[in-house]
Amino acid sequence: MMKGFTAKSWKMRWFPAPEELISEDYFAFDERKGIMAVADGITREKSSYLDDIFSLRLKSKARMAAERAVRAFIISLRCFHNIDERAVKLSAIRANEDVKLLNEFLGINPETVDYLKNDYAGCTFAGGAYNEKDGVVIGAFVADARLGIYRRDKRELELTPNLGPTKELDAQMWADSKMAGKNWGMAEGRRGIRKYFRNKPNGYYALTGEKEAEEGIHVVRWEFKPGDVFCACTDDMGEVVEAKGLDYFIVKDFAGLEEQSQGDIKHEGTIVYCHEPMYKFVGFGK
């Protein structure tokens, strides 16, 4: 069985706007094929850096990138007869290529990108699928989106590492000579971090449609037995899962999962999870 949801802080829950205008997370799953994915859009800029503050009333390009990546991954993986590491990696690359098409539609390319007002739309990403024949789950993840496998019989959780801009990486980037005298509150600080460190070996990765982003796609493979739980989550939810473990969630067969996590989310966090290797229908989330 597959399920998913986005948990929000109380400020986001009470903000008077449609979800697609304020949320940058997106998830979807195909239970019949055993495929699921989540993404967290990036590059929604603060209004002081935008020419038109009313653009905030529209769906952000961060949200659009998340939607495109998740859907492209699932559609691509459906086409493979055998789901293996190669199929999952190629489908994640296809997700990045679809984000590139979005940026081309928005008129953002290497000649026009300014890494601030006209930055690439992009997202972090995690997704995977169940291979029934081999009894395994295989997934791909980028940056601080995470994949996890919980062994209920052993009460053990294995979680992929946070490869996003962690505190340690953040300190290294700001200590670089190119960032001297700058900080995140400055326009040049934001531009510099994205220009010099995003999708670079000495920085962090995100699906922005750039070819270099493919280097940040990591693939994992785990054995999947009845009773195990396979999950994919965005950064805020990943922090909760890492801090408290899936034991925290597994109460009354997952009843109340969303309510339990609401109070621990800083902004918004999304999780999609599977805890039975049987698939009956297709479902989509926001």
Side-chain angles (χ1 to χ4, degrees):
M1 181 175 67
M2 284 184 169
K3 290 185 179 180
F5 67 87
T6 298
K8 302 179 180 64
S9 67
W10 69 268
K11 289 184 179 180
M12 286 200 66
R13 293 199 302 272
W14 286 98
F15 194 83
E19 179 174 344
E20 63 269 18
L21 300 190
I22 61 173
S23 175
E24 297 178 348
D25 284 8
Y26 185 78
F27 75 89
F29 58 85
D30 181 339
E31 192 165 9
R32 182 174 57 86
K33 290 288 188 178
I35 308 169
M36 62 186 192
V38 298
D40 180 5
I42 60 174
T43 71
R44 179 193 284 274
E45 201 53 90
K46 57 192 295 187
S47 60
S48 58
Y49 295 142
L50 298 175
D51 293 324
D52 178 12
I53 63 172
F54 295 104
S55 64
L56 294 176
R57 296 181 180 179
L58 306 175
K59 184 189 296 188
S60 73
K61 58 185 181 183
R63 169 67 180 227
M64 289 190 283
E67 292 179 0
R68 294 286 291 260
V70 167
R71 291 171 178 169
F73 177 80
I74 292 176
I75 292 171
S76 173
L77 207 48
R78 283 173 178 163
C79 299
F80 287 89
H81 176 70
N82 181 46
I83 294 178
D84 56 12
E85 287 90 337
R86 175 179 174 273
V88 170
K89 179 68 176 285
L90 288 175
S91 295
I93 290 174
R94 182 67 186 88
N96 185 56
E97 292 171 346
D98 217 57
V99 174
K100 180 181 180 179
L101 294 177
L102 170 64
N103 280 312
E104 290 176 350
F105 173 78
L106 296 172
I108 307 171
N109 56 60
E111 286 71 40
T112 63
V113 65
D114 67 358
Y115 300 98
L116 191 68
K117 294 181 180 180
N118 199 47
D119 191 20
Y120 287 116
C123 64
T124 66
F125 173 86
Y130 172 59
N131 181 320
E132 184 177 12
K133 177 183 177 182
D134 297 334
V136 298
V137 286
I138 304 169
F141 69 99
V142 178
D144 52 14
R146 318 282 288 275
L147 294 169
I149 185 82
Y150 177 78
R151 310 293 186 190
R152 197 190 297 243
D153 56 345
K154 299 180 180 179
R155 300 179 68 85
E156 293 178 353
L157 170 67
E158 184 175 353
L159 199 64
T160 56
N162 179 352
L163 299 181
T166 59
K167 290 183 179 180
E168 294 78 11
L169 177 58
D170 194 58
Q172 293 175 21
M173 292 188 295
W174 289 111
D176 190 279
S177 59
K178 293 188 288 294
M179 303 307 297
K182 302 180 179 65
N183 60 63
W184 190 246
M186 303 167 59
E188 286 307 308
R190 292 174 178 244
R191 180 180 283 116
I193 290 293
R194 294 163 180 162
K195 181 177 181 179
Y196 300 122
F197 299 101
R198 190 177 63 202
N199 291 331
K200 303 291 193 302
N202 62 334
Y204 63 99
Y205 289 87
L207 300 185
T208 59
E210 298 167 282
K211 183 68 174 178
E212 296 81 356
E214 295 179 11
E215 296 299 319
I217 299 173
H218 300 269
V219 177
V220 294
R221 176 189 177 108
W222 289 307
E223 182 184 7
F224 190 60
K225 300 178 295 184
D228 290 348
V229 180
F230 178 50
C231 69
C233 50
T234 57
D235 56 345
D236 271 13
M237 186 64 73
E239 291 180 6
V240 174
V241 171
E242 185 171 35
K244 299 193 174 184
L246 284 181
D247 279 336
Y248 169 69
F249 292 134
I250 301 174
V251 178
K252 297 181 180 178
D253 195 26
F254 289 85
L257 172 57
E258 183 171 359
E259 290 75 13
Q260 291 179 56
S261 57
Q262 293 282 12
D264 298 298
I265 297 297
K266 297 176 183 177
H267 183 59
E268 67 174 339
T270 299
I271 185 170
V272 59
Y273 56 95
C274 167
H275 61 104
E276 288 296 338
M278 297 181 297
Y279 306 105
K280 299 178 181 178
F281 60 91
V282 178
F284 291 93
K286 297 181 178 180

